[in-house]
Amino acid sequence: MDGPQDVVTAVYRKVRAGALEEARALWSDSGRWHVIGSHPPAGDYSADEYLAFIQRFLHDHPDYRAEWLDVRSHDGTILIANLHSTGGPAPGTAQGVLVIRVTGGEVQEGWGIPAVPDRPF
């Protein structure tokens, strides 16, 4: 994989396709994901917990679609993505930011930061 955007895109595609073992192979064993806010499911997740969460989320919200509006990579390790989504638990269009650190072709740590702290995106 060329850069952090390729790794992150591959993770989400593999989860959506049900290939959790392949998605997990793109995460560091010590990888952590942080969902920021005051809403369920805000909190910290291990890589396995986060991938299971995404799988359940997509099952519960089959019409969920996220679009990356602006994506930037810094130093080949940090991905910052502004996104909006529809079809999730938030009414209408939700917005937020992802900040993800990728090294050696693996997600090391990530933050999902919704624009409205009491609503997920």
Side-chain angles (χ1 to χ4, degrees):
M1 306 234 168
D2 292 326
Q5 185 172 353
D6 297 320
V7 173
V8 172
T9 298
V11 167
Y12 288 114
R13 282 188 182 147
K14 290 177 185 303
V15 170
R16 192 171 280 280
L20 288 182
E21 288 183 23
E22 293 176 27
R24 180 62 177 90
L26 297 172
W27 275 78
S28 163
D29 288 340
S30 61
R32 302 292 295 169
W33 188 264
H34 311 281
V35 179
I36 308 303
S38 57
H39 57 82
D44 298 331
Y45 297 84
S46 70
D48 293 324
E49 291 168 337
Y50 182 64
L51 293 171
F53 164 74
I54 294 172
Q55 187 178 37
R56 283 189 313 274
F57 181 91
L58 293 174
H59 177 267
D60 293 345
H61 305 283
D63 295 328
Y64 180 79
R65 297 293 177 265
E67 179 182 357
W68 293 9
L69 303 174
D70 183 30
V71 180
R72 298 176 191 257
S73 179
H74 299 278
D75 298 328
T77 60
I78 301 293
L79 176 75
I80 300 173
N82 180 10
L83 64 91
H84 73 232
S85 63
T86 58
T93 300
Q95 296 182 329
V97 174
L98 300 179
V99 178
I100 305 167
R101 183 170 53 91
V102 177
T103 59
E106 295 181 329
V107 175
Q108 303 295 322
E109 193 164 19
W111 295 262
I113 307 165
V116 178
D118 63 347
R119 289 192 334 200
F121 55 92

